[in-house]
């Protein structure tokens, strides 16, 4: 796998540590957020950047940002140490069109698949998950999820047909995964208008820092990748959202902060505190191998 370091693209406009960087649906704009309490939006073209917006409004470090699907409009969600989730809408400038306040720092935000509508989840250090729905107007519900704090949330991908006609609803349900300071990954869905836990992955021995969910192309497997301060990445598989089989993909040299699936679900990117990003592929079912590694601006290929 060939990797080209973006050495010509240097983002130095922030005045504090950058915590997240997210490309929009079309890969033409990049949003970043920082401890300087701002969000910046860039136009990206052939490796060149142009600063388009400097969004202010949070009162603490901004931990994460997330673009909506274009069918929901030009929306950007953000979360901060100031306990707030904010949804920003672009109309010449960027405007705050919705906010929700948790009882503690908000650590993560994630948009649901657009087939379900305009739905945003937020994870907070108060242990709760917030679900925010736009249907003519915004409404929010929150529920207790993880003792001592929730660090991450990820939605199940939407798929039309999975695993045969006897499970036609599987892949269409509104299902959410979360990870927390109780070392657990939990699976949630809506029943009778209430969020209930339907599954659990108990494979980590320290805080779960990030989860990401994919459905592989071809065999339609539902996979959740989770990473932890225990220095491991775990990949879990389920056919019904409730029972999960898990494989420890790798033990890293340091704590692992984020995991991210490629668009077609066959490559997993892993970011650890060793200042390295590595890419992993499944050689055979349950056997993962490193296919590339990025260390600062150097690239090591296998």
């Amino acid at each position: 796998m060939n990797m080209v370091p973006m050495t010509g693209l240097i983002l130095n406009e922030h005045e504090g540590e950058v915590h997240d960087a997210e490309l929009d649906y079309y890969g033409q704009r990049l949003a970043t957020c920082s401890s300087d309490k701002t969000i910046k939006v860039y136009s990206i073209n052939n490796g060149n950047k142009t600063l388009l917006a400097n969004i202010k409004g949070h009162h603490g470090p901004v931990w994460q940002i997330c673009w909506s699907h274009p069918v929901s409009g030009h929306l950007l969600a953000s979360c901060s140490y100031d306990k707030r989730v904010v949804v920003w809408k672009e109309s010449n400038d960027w405007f705050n069109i919705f906010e929700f306040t948790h009882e503690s720092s908000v650590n993560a935000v994630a948009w649901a698949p657009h087939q379900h509508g305009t739905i945003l989840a937020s994870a907070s250090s108060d242990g709760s998950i917030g679900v925010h729905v736009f249907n003519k107007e915004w409404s929010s519900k929150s529920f207790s999820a993880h003792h001592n704090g929730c660090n991450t949330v990820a939605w199940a991908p939407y798929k039309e047909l999975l695993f045969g006609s006897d499970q036609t609803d599987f892949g269409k349900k509104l299902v959410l995964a979360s990870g927390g300071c109780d070392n657990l990954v939990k699976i949630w869905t809506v029943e009778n208008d209430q969020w209930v836990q339907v599954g659990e992955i108990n494979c980590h021995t320290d805080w779960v820092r990030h989860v990401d969910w994919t459905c592989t192309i071809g065999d339609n497997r539902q996979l959740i990748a989770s990473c932890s301060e225990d220095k491991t990445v775990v990949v879990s598989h389920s056919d019904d959202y409730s029972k999960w089989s898990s494989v420890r993909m790798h033990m890293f040299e340091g704590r692992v902060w984020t995991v991210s699936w490629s668009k077609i679900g066959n490559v997993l990117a892993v970011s650890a505190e060793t200042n390295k990003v590595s890419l992993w592929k499944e050689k055979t079912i349950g056997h993962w191998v490193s296919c590339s590694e990025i260390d600062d601006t150097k690239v090591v290929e296998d």
Side-chain angles (χ1 to χ4, degrees):
M1 179 177 291
N2 293 322
M3 296 294 297
V4 180
M6 299 180 69
T7 54
L9 186 61
I10 300 174
L11 307 177
N12 56 5
E13 284 81 6
H14 282 291
E15 297 177 358
E17 183 177 355
V18 175
H19 297 292
D20 195 19
E22 296 284 339
L23 286 167
D24 71 358
Y25 180 82
Y26 298 109
Q28 296 177 345
R29 293 188 297 176
L30 177 71
T32 61
C33 62
S34 168
S35 287
D36 66 10
K37 309 176 187 178
T38 71
I39 301 162
K40 298 187 187 297
V41 180
Y42 300 87
S43 171
I44 303 298
N45 185 20
N46 296 324
N48 298 314
K49 65 177 176 69
T50 302
L51 181 62
L52 300 177
N54 183 29
I55 304 172
K56 298 180 179 180
H58 279 292
H59 309 303
V62 185
W63 301 131
Q64 194 176 58
I65 45 183
C66 189
W67 293 94
S68 70
H69 189 278
V71 300
S72 297
H74 299 288
L75 303 181
L76 186 62
S78 61
C79 62
S80 169
Y81 183 76
D82 66 10
K83 308 178 185 179
R84 293 188 301 148
V85 180
V86 178
V87 176
W88 309 88
K89 182 177 177 63
E90 183 184 23
S91 179
N92 294 323
D93 202 352
W94 288 87
F95 299 93
N96 178 339
I97 63 167
F98 168 77
E99 65 178 68
F100 178 85
T101 303
H102 282 271
E103 295 180 3
S104 190
S105 173
V106 186
N107 304 316
V109 285
W111 293 102
H114 69 275
Q115 294 89 343
H116 296 299
T118 303
I119 303 175
L120 179 71
S122 56
S124 173
S125 291
D126 64 16
S128 73
I129 294 173
V131 179
H132 319 284
V133 180
F134 180 77
N135 185 9
K136 297 183 180 179
E137 61 182 15
W138 287 93
S139 62
S140 297
K141 287 186 176 181
S142 63
F143 58 93
S144 179
H146 293 270
H147 181 63
N148 288 339
C150 185
N151 298 321
T152 178
V153 283
W155 294 95
Y158 184 94
K159 291 293 180 182
E160 287 292 342
L161 290 174
L162 295 175
F163 311 112
S165 59
D166 60 328
Q167 297 192 51
T168 55
D169 289 336
F170 188 54
K172 295 183 179 181
K173 294 181 68 175
L174 193 63
V175 184
L176 184 66
S178 63
C181 300
D182 53 7
N183 309 341
L184 299 174
V185 176
K186 297 183 179 181
I187 316 301
W188 311 86
T189 192
V190 179
E191 294 181 3
N192 299 319
D193 204 34
Q194 299 293 323
W195 285 91
V196 296
Q197 184 180 343
V198 294
E200 184 173 286
I201 301 168
N202 185 2
C203 292
H204 290 288
T205 59
D206 208 334
W207 290 10
V208 178
R209 279 298 181 182
H210 197 243
V211 295
D212 199 21
W213 200 325
T214 191
C215 183
T216 58
I217 300 296
D219 54 3
N220 285 331
R221 286 184 300 144
Q222 293 271 350
L223 301 178
I224 291 178
S226 57
C227 64
S228 168
E229 295 199 20
D230 65 9
K231 306 179 183 180
T232 68
V233 171
V234 171
V235 177
S236 303
H237 162 254
S238 177
D239 290 336
D240 60 6
Y241 296 133
S242 60
K243 298 177 182 178
W244 293 83
S245 58
S246 301
V247 173
R248 190 176 77 177
M249 191 191 77
H250 189 68
M251 171 70 79
F252 291 81
E253 296 175 1
R255 293 172 293 182
V256 188
W257 300 128
T258 59
V259 285
S260 180
W261 292 105
S262 63
K263 289 297 183 183
I264 61 174
N266 65 337
V267 176
L268 182 68
V270 179
S271 172
E273 70 174 345
T274 53
N275 295 323
K276 294 180 181 179
V277 176
S278 54
L279 303 181
W280 297 78
K281 293 190 71 172
E282 193 175 28
K283 191 172 183 179
T284 58
I285 297 295
H287 179 216
W288 294 83
V289 295
S290 174
C291 54
S292 188
E293 184 176 279
I294 305 170
D295 185 353
D296 293 328
T297 58
K298 299 178 182 179
V299 178
V300 178
E301 298 181 5
D302 289 345

